[in-house]
Structure formats: C-alpha cells, structure tokens
Amino acid sequence: MSFYVTTPIYYVNAAPHLGHAYTTIAADVMARHHRQRGESVFFLTGTDEHGEPVADAAHAKGVTPQQLADENAARFKALAPLIGASNDFFIRTTDPKHMAKVQEVLSRVRDNGYVYEGTYEGWYCPRCADFKSESDIDPGNRCPIHHIELTREQEDSYFFALSAFQERLQELYEQRPDFVTPRTRYNEALSFVRSGLHDVPLTRHKLTWGVPVPWDSEHVFYVWFDALLNYYTALSYAPAPDGAAPENDLVATFWPASYHVIAKDILRFHAVYWPALLMAAALELPQHLFVHGYLLMEGEKMSKSLGNVLDPFAAIDRYGADALRFYVLREVPFGQDGSVSSASFEQRYESELANELGNLASRTTSMIGRYRNGALSAGELDAELVADFDALGERVCEHVDRAELTLALDEIWQRVRRLNRYVEERSPWQLAKDEARAEELDRVLRTLAEGLRSVAVLLWPYMPASCERLLAALGVSDISIAGAQPGAGGITHVSPLEPLFPKEPADGRG
Ligand code: ME8
C-alpha cells in the first residue's frame, strides 16, 4: 500500500502564519498515521514562488523576486520541522527541475490539442493571482477576499480549453462522490462545473516572473498551472523516502496522490482546473481532495494580506509544537471554519493536555513506580476497561481514511477520559493499603499502562514528541497501529516520566 499526501504550496510573498501551519499539521497527522499502518508514505509540502503576488511584494520591498522567494521559502522550510512536520520533500517552484517538468507536461497538453491563442479581457486580483468572474466581484469592483480594487486586464494569452472537459468533469463528480470532501465542498465544485466552464488563460504576457513558455519566449505560464503541477513534478526528482520506492521511481509508486489537503480558498483550482489539466495531459487523477475551513481570528480569515495573524513560532516557543498541533485539530472541527485565540489555546492546554492526558500519564507511571518499583507482572487485564477500547484502532483508521481528523481525535480523547475515570473508580491508592488486594492492584496498574499505551500510539500522529516520551517511559518502542489494542505488547517495566505538559510552560521551550 502506498499513501501520498500533499499540502498546498504556499506563496512566498510573506512569512508563514498559523493558517499555513494548520494545513501542514493536518497533512502530517495523515502521513504519520499511514506510516503507523506500515504503508509506504510520501508527504509533500513546499512553496509557490512565481507570479504576481510574489513579483509585486518583491517590488514593494525593493528586492528581486528571487531574493524574496529565497528569504521566505527558507522561513516556510524552517517552519516544517518546528511544527513537527515529517515531510519527505520540500518543493520550490523556482527549482529548475520543477520548471523543466512543467514545460514538458504543458507542452504535452498543447500537443494534445487543448491550448490555443487568444486575447483575454477581464477583472483580475493581483493578490489572488486570479481572474474573477462577474459573479465573484464585490461592489466597487473589489476582490471579495482581499477587499482591494480589481484591475481590468487585457492581454494576449494562450488559453487552456477548460470548457472541453465539462462533461468529463461532471462524470467524474457523479462517479466519485468522495472525490471532494466534505460534502458542501463537493456540491460547490459540482455546481461550479454545472454552471458552465469557460476557457482560462494558460499564460501571461505582461509578467516575466514565471516558468517560460517553451513555444513562445514572450510568455510565462500562469502561476496556477505552474503551481498545481508541483504535486506531480516533485515525484519526478525528489529523493525516495527511507524504505520506500527505489530512487527515480516515485511516480510509479505514489502517483496519483491519495489526498490533496487544501482550504476552501483554492477549491476551484484544485477541484476543477486540476483534474481537467490532468485529463488534458493524460495523467491519472488524485483520489481525494480534502477541503478544510478557515482558522478565524476576530471573525476574519487569518491572512498575510490582512495582517491579522497568530504567530505559530511564538505559540510553539511557549507551549511546544505538540500542544499547537493538538489545539488546532481539537478546537476547530476539521473541515469547518472556526475561531482560534490565545485564550482558548491556553485553556485547552491546561484542561485537556495538562489535567487530562498529562495527569493520567503522571499518575499511572508514578503509581507503578511507588507501588511496584516500576515492574509490572504478566497477567490479565480488566475486561470491562478493555471492552471500552474494542475496535478503537479500526475506528480511528476509518476516520483518518476520510480525513476526519477531529472525529478521530475525539474517539481517542474519550478513552483518555475513560482511563481517568477508571483511576478514580479503582482508586489504586486504596488497593495499595491492603496486602490482600495485591493482585487486584497489579491488574489495575497493568490495565492502566496498557490503556495508556493504546492512547499514546493513537495520539502519536497528533503529538509525536510527547507520545514518544510517554511510550519510552512505558518501555514501548513499537509505535505501529497494532499497539492500539490494550494487551498487545506486554509492558513489563515503567520508568519515571517528567510532566508531559507542564502547567507553567517555560518560555523558550522547544
Ligand atoms: O493559495 N485558515 O498559497 P497561500 C486555514 N500558492 N488555512 C489557511 C489559512 C487560514 N486562515 N490561511 C492560509 C496559495 N491557509 C497558492 C497555493 S497550491 C498548488 C498553490 C492555508 O500561501 C490553506 O491551506 O495563499 C490555504 O489553502 C493555503 O494556506 C493558501 O496558501
């Protein structure tokens, strides 16, 4: 089995913010979860470096587009390990290998008869790098996303014959109801297709910051076609991840993508242009697009252009990457819009991470240390508790297979709470006072350790560093999904554990 997951490639017109971290975290959870299942995984993220948004931002700063791209691509690249992302490759669209592949694929699209010359006239938002249809314009000819005035553009272009794919796209949507999820986004994409597709500019004449069009040196490709193709080009030159496909065979192993994870702002490009482009190039279509919502601050989409961003670097400094990963996927149902704030982050950190999971881990490991010197004897588990974990691993897999990351997390968290209730119900500190109940105490401690292993294995994709620490204290080195079943491995020795989520997080904590 192979699993290929991507994030959008982010524009380098400004620095990364929590919105970007969010998508990368979500895709990382999916990648890690599938690795736990023993699948061959490729996880791609990167930066989108051509086009007007970048050229304009560079111009405003008095640097070249390449200088700005280098500077900000480095910041996006640095963000990935900081948020615990385990991406196998980081693609930059100014990489000559990507550019050559774009030229090759788009030449094929032309050879296949889907490119023609014409003149484009219409409303254009330079921040979106997008031509707006009449129905997509705010009063005063403004961009509905950036609220800036649109420009009237007229230029000679080569066109992509999007309209030629009207029927095939409708068929695609009819035959594959899970091509785009959640359902609202599927409906939105399908209704866009049904409303009638128009051909779109494939190249820009006025712009020079882009991939040159091989058959006409006065044009560069419109940035969206250059960008979308990253998902394909990366596989043609990225090094193979450890233990995966042999070098240079990534396309055969990983294409088509299992999941493109994006937010709804770029739905149309991914749900309409992208499959049409792949059809035109005679390439296989991705299996799924998952479209998540916006992280909102004060009711507006967090956005570089609007400047209302929550700094992920600061949050990580104080609480650690795991806490941030947990928070964004727990607080906002994945797939919907939701507000985030420092106050609700701190509250969840304290009530759920420190008081629920952290406390459960501390109590369990310290009781095993205090009452049994860290040693656990082999024996039965408490059947009643184990029954509450029945099919948990399978249910988590089913949710993650559908990118339902908040629902999967909720399933696991119910077990964290169940284990805390179990501690209260069985009160090991009472059992420890009575020598006659030593066996019962052994069973309770064993059951707690096994339950903790189960939740740590399942939470690992969400909070890898903390779960690795917890599993190490339990003496467990195997993080594969098989360990989600209590009793699977036989924990024999438990070591002391420093608090997983200290109540007073120190500044500068990594
Ligand atoms: O659109 N909430 O790049 P971009 C949730 N280069 N997600 C958010 C977000 C928010 N407030 N803000 C940003 C581009 N994102 C193109 C993509 S792909 C072939 C080319 C995330 O830098 C979310 O994933 O504007 C969104 O789709 C993406 O960043 C847009 O990043």
Side-chain angles (χ1 to χ4, degrees), residues 43 77 111 114 167 391 444:
F43 167 24
K77 204 168 176 176
D111 294 344
Y114 297 110
E167 272 179 30
V444 169

Side-chain angles (χ1 to χ4, degrees), residues 201-412:
L202 175 71
T203 69
R204 303 291 316 271
H205 195 185
K206 289 185 182 153
L207 205 67
T208 52
W209 182 239
V211 176
V213 172
W215 63 84
D216 187 335
S217 58
E218 291 193 2
H219 288 248
V220 295
F221 286 112
Y222 175 40
V223 64
W224 268 100
F225 290 94
D226 162 6
L228 286 164
L229 279 167
N230 91 88
Y231 303 132
Y232 180 71
T233 64
L235 295 182
S236 70
Y237 67 92
D242 286 347
E247 189 109 24
N248 299 330
D249 202 26
L250 295 180
V251 174
T253 310
F254 292 110
W255 192 261
S258 316
Y259 264 102
H260 295 306
V261 183
I262 60 169
K264 60 185 183 179
D265 51 345
I266 51 180
L267 173 69
R268 182 163 38 94
F269 296 104
H270 284 79
V272 182
Y273 291 26
W274 179 225
L277 182 67
L278 290 169
M279 288 171 184
L283 290 169
E284 248 187 285
L285 306 190
Q287 287 162 3
H288 307 283
L289 301 180
F290 186 86
V291 188
H292 65 68
Y294 291 151
L295 295 187
L296 307 170
M297 288 199 72
E298 292 148 15
E300 275 227 71
K301 180 192 172 206
M302 233 185 282
S303 130
K304 290 179 281 216
S305 336
L306 296 176
N308 60 341
V309 298
L310 189 140
D311 182 5
F313 294 100
I316 290 166
D317 249 10
R318 192 155 160 71
Y319 294 98
D322 282 355
L324 181 71
R325 293 167 64 101
F326 171 81
Y327 171 69
V328 289
L329 290 170
R330 180 101 171 127
E331 180 74 14
V332 179
F334 195 52
Q336 298 173 26
D337 289 351
S339 293
V340 292
S341 67
S342 304
S344 76
F345 184 6
E346 279 162 31
Q347 213 230 318
R348 276 208 194 264
Y349 180 89
E350 172 121 357
S351 66
E352 297 191 325
L353 291 179
N355 290 350
E356 293 184 350
L357 180 60
N359 204 19
L360 173 70
S362 298
R363 299 212 269 188
T364 302
T365 52
S366 72
M367 286 190 295
I368 296 171
R370 194 171 331 126
Y371 305 139
R372 292 293 181 261
N373 270 326
L376 285 177
S377 55
E380 287 190 351
L381 303 181
D382 209 324
E384 203 187 307
L385 193 282
V386 172
D388 288 335
F389 281 67
D390 269 355
L392 171 63
E394 287 84 343
R395 270 216 289 283
V396 168
C397 288
E398 282 165 21
H399 282 308
V400 180
D401 279 344
R402 293 192 293 258
E404 294 164 352
L405 303 184
T406 303
L407 293 177
L409 183 53
D410 191 53
E411 285 277 354
I412 309 165

